[in-house]
Amino acid sequence: MQTGVPAETPVGEIPVAAAPETAKKTLLIGVPKETAPGEKRVATVPDVVEKLVKLGFAVSVESGAGDGANLDDDAYRASGASIAATAAELWGQSDIVFKVRPPSPQEVELMREGGTLIGFVWPAQNPELMQQLAAKKATVLAIDALPRTLSRAQKMDALTSQAGVAGYRAVIEAANAFGRFFSGQITAAGKVPPAKVFIAGAGVAGLAAIGTAASLGAIVRANDTRAEVADQVVSLGGEFVKVDYEEEGSGGGGYAKVMSEGFQQAQREMYAKQAREVDIIITTALIPGKPAPRLITAEMVRSMKPGSVIVDMAAEQGGNCELTEPGQAVVKHGVTIVGYTDLVSRLARQSSTLYSTNLFRLSEELCKTKDGVINVNMEDDAIRGLTVVKDGAITWPAPPLKAAAVPAAKPAVAPAAKKGHGHGAPSEPMAANKLAIMFGIAAALFWFVGANAPTAFLGHFTVFVLACFVGYMVVWNVTPALHTPLMSVTNAISSIIAIGALVQIAPPLPGGAGIDPWIRWLAVGGIVLTAVNMFGGFAVSQRMLAMFRK
């Protein structure tokens, strides 16, 4: 019987005969060069390599993988990564592979059996790829399948980070193809009107395009089927153009849904009107798992002014414009139609940096122990949503997320009346007899104070009552959402009160020993109350400010 270390021990693995039962294998992350035509991105950058090494992983990068993003092999070596000479070497030795584009059949063949793949997979569009990966007994985490409704998943949301880059680049491509300035100018040589830009779809890419076009000085209009994004459009400097048809367009998960025929007809009419008026149209409309909806017809293109531009960001999925040619920029009816499918790759270094950060955040979730070993926890909603193949078993699609528990409805009760207003609703006026009684009691109280208190005290008391009234009207009319910022104002007022009280206790003028006891003890009480208010206000303000600090 043969003993010792097997002749073909996998790279990086501790032989079973020599390893203690508790020893864990440090996993190797491999980053191959992207093979898709025109793809310049790389799945990790040198700065992120250093962070992965600190998590306990070893990192290997295929030679030339970062050339398209202006990242050479020496930069990866300096950050702690090794360089694999060929794709076969890298795929064969890597326990985990970081990818941008879905792997080709040839790349899947090179993959280690039982390995892990993390990247864009698009399982709905690539059923054959899913079967190939399952046959390799692989574990596959599709970054495009991340449940985007989870707030904790935002740091891993590569769809959002890449869409933001694409939206920015779409405006740059439009500006390049357009024959005028975006901003209006008045010069000695003549007046240049601002460009009018219409953006169809106000998702992440659309909002990035709105912000970029507005910052360049264009007049920006936008539309989306989801009415809730109107405020976001306005906040970025755009004008929200509403379709004259009432229908909710949110499809869940941050995406739009397929609208009714009535809505689509009204939407087409609105698009036709915008096409006649604007200089540039940027379309971003996509619905997961479906071809890109056709929004801009050939007739609309013919109605546009000569020299106008259309940038179709959905070209890779068929295009939102009827005349789009994917991958090409063409001129039809005097209109330049840009159908590039590599907008994100045209900013390869920026998009690679953002994407690699998304994968690093995912790695942190998978390796919370920071020992170079991942745990694909299927009980974690975010990880479960990402995992489309687990140890060779296809687990896509993930089950719907569990809805948050809704607290039991409290029994309806009559609205409480304001203090002193009896038991009616707050809006009901106080009864005349109760109002008369209250005024009588207040008058008697003021008469008692005026008849017995010293003259000096009466003047202070009058100011005190007026201050209470003014303070009540000011503070109680402030929206509850502003109560915390209001603490800064109340601290300033309290400081004035404290100074006044100190003067009353120990006046700077001679003869202070003869101060009336009423005034002295009221001043002491005022100092105590304002001290509580001041210190409490500063404590609350500091807690509020800490929420915005990193």
Side-chain angles (χ1 to χ4, degrees), residues 381-438:
D381 287 338
I383 303 302
R384 175 63 188 89
L386 284 167
T387 307
V388 296
V389 181
K390 180 71 163 67
D391 297 329
I394 295 177
T395 58
W396 184 87
L401 295 176
K402 297 177 182 178
V406 179
K410 296 182 180 179
V413 295
K418 290 185 180 179
K419 187 176 181 180
H421 284 218
H423 300 287
S427 59
E428 295 180 358
M430 183 181 294
N433 59 342
K434 293 181 178 179
L435 186 63
I437 293 172
M438 284 193 63

Side-chain angles (χ1 to χ4, degrees), residues 329-347:
V330 297
V331 178
K332 296 184 178 181
H333 307 297
V335 177
T336 302
I337 303 173
V338 179
Y340 296 146
T341 58
D342 61 345
L343 288 173
V344 182
S345 278
R346 288 171 181 255
L347 286 171

Side-chain angles (χ1 to χ4, degrees), residues 228-455:
E228 64 267 19
V229 304
D231 290 340
Q232 300 175 37
V233 171
V234 174
S235 69
L236 289 169
E239 174 193 350
F240 188 78
V241 182
K242 193 175 184 299
V243 177
D244 190 16
Y245 193 98
E246 294 297 329
E247 182 176 350
E248 174 55 44
S250 180
Y255 296 99
K257 70 174 184 179
V258 179
M259 306 301 286
S260 67
E261 181 55 38
F263 181 93
Q264 292 182 35
Q265 177 59 34
Q267 187 182 52
R268 283 192 291 269
E269 293 174 1
M270 183 270 290
Y271 283 155
K273 179 182 177 182
Q274 294 299 322
R276 292 190 297 269
E277 296 179 359
V278 302
D279 304 300
I280 296 168
I281 295 178
I282 298 175
T283 65
T284 70
L286 279 175
I287 298 173
K290 297 182 181 294
R294 290 297 169 88
L295 305 178
I296 308 299
T297 64
E299 183 60 33
M300 294 179 194
V301 175
R302 281 192 288 268
S303 72
M304 296 182 73
K305 292 173 283 190
S308 297
V309 178
I310 296 175
V311 179
D312 193 341
M313 294 182 63
E316 194 168 6
Q317 281 74 42
N320 296 137
C321 178
E322 189 176 346
L323 301 181
T324 296
E325 295 184 14
Q328 303 293 326
V330 297
V331 178
K332 296 184 178 181
H333 307 297
V335 177
T336 302
I337 303 173
V338 179
Y340 296 146
T341 58
D342 61 345
L343 288 173
V344 182
S345 278
R346 288 171 181 255
L347 286 171
R349 182 154 186 164
Q350 179 66 78
S351 53
S352 296
T353 300
L354 295 175
Y355 180 69
S356 61
T357 301
N358 294 139
L359 296 192
F360 168 68
R361 296 304 181 189
L362 173 57
S363 301
E364 285 184 318
E365 293 294 317
L366 294 172
C367 182
K368 294 183 177 180
T369 54
K370 298 184 179 182
D371 58 357
V373 178
I374 63 172
N375 174 29
V376 182
N377 181 12
M378 299 297 274
E379 299 299 320
D380 185 310
D381 287 338
I383 303 302
R384 175 63 188 89
L386 284 167
T387 307
V388 296
V389 181
K390 180 71 163 67
D391 297 329
I394 295 177
T395 58
W396 184 87
L401 295 176
K402 297 177 182 178
V406 179
K410 296 182 180 179
V413 295
K418 290 185 180 179
K419 187 176 181 180
H421 284 218
H423 300 287
S427 59
E428 295 180 358
M430 183 181 294
N433 59 342
K434 293 181 178 179
L435 186 63
I437 293 172
M438 284 193 63
F439 271 105
I441 294 173
L445 179 62
F446 276 97
W447 173 84
F448 177 79
V449 172
N452 296 279
T455 304

Side-chain angles (χ1 to χ4, degrees), residues 196-219:
K196 295 180 180 179
V197 180
F198 177 72
I199 296 171
V204 176
L207 292 173
I210 292 167
T212 305
S215 66
L216 290 175
I219 297 173

